[in-house]
Amino acid sequence: MKEKSIQDWIYVILQFIFFLLYLQDFTILSWEISKDAKILFQLIAGMGLLFSILAVLSINTLVSPFPSPKKEMQLQTKGVFAFARHPIYTGILILFYAWGIAQASTYKISIALFFNLFIYCKARYEEQLLREKFPDYKEYALKTGMFFPKLFK
């Protein structure tokens, strides 16, 4: 097995830190959300979690927190990968934002915003590695959105 780069480890450690920070809760700005809106955003958060789980199940044992693709990995373009190049990240982003809104937590929404910036950088790095490994990746990227489906192709 190929050794992971320092950059791979940095991305994984930072992602773990973001998850730990998200689990905390601090009141930055107090606001309220209606019971109906709270339920709606909890459902949306659940859908985000489900989307990530479907993506993980579709790549099964090849899932890894590291951006470098595994040696035995094949280019995934079917299922949830037909809609987004990084559906696991998409689901996590939806979960983070929606749960933060459902909890009326400015702190969680702030963490989600910073995580969004971080995950974009990680995805860009990952895509650079995927383009090197898979010649068809460039064409796939032109047709498929990074985190959400492309509306215009």
Side-chain angles (χ1 to χ4, degrees):
M1 184 169 111
K2 183 182 168 191
E3 292 291 318
K4 298 297 179 192
S5 71
I6 298 289
Q7 196 167 359
D8 278 347
W9 279 102
I10 289 170
Y11 277 119
V12 168
I13 291 166
L14 286 174
Q15 187 169 319
F16 181 72
I17 290 169
F18 271 108
F19 289 150
L20 287 177
L21 287 172
Y22 192 84
L23 292 175
Q24 307 303 310
D25 201 8
F26 300 101
T27 302
I28 296 175
L29 181 66
S30 190
W31 51 290
E32 292 188 26
I33 185 168
S34 73
K35 184 178 178 183
D36 291 340
K38 182 174 185 160
I39 291 169
L40 173 65
F41 282 101
Q42 286 173 336
L43 289 171
I44 293 170
M47 289 171 33
L49 179 61
L50 180 62
F51 197 72
S52 285
I53 290 170
L54 289 173
V56 167
L57 291 175
S58 71
I59 55 177
N60 201 352
T61 60
L62 297 177
V63 72
S64 170
F66 295 100
S68 294
K70 289 184 174 182
K71 189 177 89 174
E72 62 274 15
M73 184 179 177
Q74 300 295 315
L75 180 60
Q76 301 291 319
T77 60
K78 305 272 189 258
V80 291
F81 287 89
F83 301 102
R85 298 190 306 269
H86 303 278
I88 297 171
Y89 301 157
T90 301
I92 294 168
L93 288 169
I94 291 169
L95 171 65
F96 273 22
Y97 282 114
W99 192 257
I101 294 168
Q103 300 304 304
S105 173
T106 306
Y107 171 77
K108 288 191 184 303
I109 295 169
S110 299
I111 294 297
L113 284 167
F114 286 111
F115 181 72
N116 201 153
L117 293 172
F118 162 77
I119 213 68
Y120 175 79
C121 294
K122 182 181 178 192
R124 291 294 303 246
Y125 172 65
E126 189 174 331
E127 291 197 340
Q128 174 189 336
L129 301 173
L130 290 168
R131 279 192 301 276
E132 292 170 10
K133 183 171 175 73
F134 302 112
D136 295 344
Y137 194 83
K138 186 176 181 180
E139 183 181 329
Y140 168 63
L142 289 172
K143 294 187 283 184
T144 312
M146 183 180 272
F147 299 119
F148 296 97
K150 281 191 174 181
L151 297 178
F152 306 101
K153 296 183 183 184

